[in-house]
Amino acid sequence: MPKLIVLSEEMAGKEFPLIGEKLKLGRGPTNDIRIEDGSVSTNHAELVLDGNDYLVRDLNSTNGTRVGAELITERKLTGGEAVRFGRIDCRYESDVKRSSKPLPPVTRGIDLASVRQGRSTVFQNVSPFKKKQDKTTKVLQWVIIGLAAVALLCFLAFLYRFLSH
């Protein structure tokens, strides 16, 4: 049976079994789940059955509803998630067993069968650094920088002669 377990010190360990399709949560006396804390609004949130799990919906509460660290207006809960109403921390427990999916087959990488048999494999360069440039490219870059420096000096000499006359 799904349930909310209070984790906050004031009510630590208190459990609220979730029975029904729609449950109101808040500080007010008419709520299905009553949490008497000043940070919890009179009508704070509602829990709505959605399949086998519950969906939590904030009812424009003053201090908000969070699932994990996320401030929410509506969100489906999964087993083991932390839910916070105002400053009251809870954990949602579900009966639904989550099955893990198998990993997809490897489509890239090293072929271990060929490595075991002594065959060479092609490795791609995964380095974040660029491939080294050859020396002719470096020489060409320095020639261009030198020519730019000479052109700048000529322009400055021309300006000096023009402005001094």
Side-chain angles (χ1 to χ4, degrees):
M1 168 184 313
K3 59 187 168 188
L4 276 178
I5 302 169
V6 180
L7 304 174
S8 295
E9 287 183 30
E10 305 85 35
M11 302 171 62
K14 181 147 176 82
E15 295 185 9
F16 295 101
L18 303 179
I19 303 168
E21 291 195 22
K22 189 183 255 188
L23 302 164
K24 298 273 186 179
L25 181 143
R27 194 176 66 228
T30 60
N31 288 296
D32 302 304
I33 299 173
R34 192 162 178 218
I35 300 177
E36 294 184 41
D37 183 84
S39 68
V40 177
S41 296
T42 304
N43 296 306
H44 196 98
E46 66 182 357
L47 296 157
V48 180
L49 188 61
D50 185 17
N52 292 326
D53 279 314
Y54 279 83
L55 178 126
V56 63
R57 182 178 299 137
D58 187 78
L59 299 175
N60 295 321
S61 64
T62 304
N63 294 314
T65 301
R66 295 182 183 275
V67 176
E70 179 187 357
L71 186 63
I72 59 102
T73 53
E74 183 176 293
R75 176 138 178 264
K76 187 167 184 177
L77 298 172
T78 58
E81 280 190 302
V83 185
R84 184 175 207 165
F85 304 101
R87 63 183 167 116
I88 302 297
D89 291 313
C90 300
R91 185 177 64 238
Y92 172 73
E93 292 293 327
S94 172
D95 290 338
V96 178
K97 302 287 186 222
R98 303 276 178 218
S99 63
S100 62
K101 295 179 182 177
L103 294 173
V106 177
T107 57
R108 293 182 357 184
I110 301 170
D111 180 13
L112 294 177
S114 65
V115 171
R116 284 188 202 113
Q117 294 173 1
R119 293 186 211 145
S120 65
T121 56
V122 178
F123 294 95
Q124 293 180 338
N125 186 2
V126 293
S127 171
F129 303 105
K130 292 183 179 179
K131 184 178 171 184
K132 288 187 178 180
Q133 298 174 345
D134 59 13
K135 290 184 180 185
T136 57
T137 305
K138 280 192 172 186
V139 171
L140 184 59
Q141 286 176 344
W142 282 109
V143 168
I144 292 171
I145 291 171
L147 288 174
V150 170
L152 180 63
L153 286 174
C154 289
F155 178 70
L156 291 175
F158 173 74
L159 277 179
Y160 178 74
R161 285 184 114 202
F162 180 73
L163 294 174
S164 63
H165 286 277

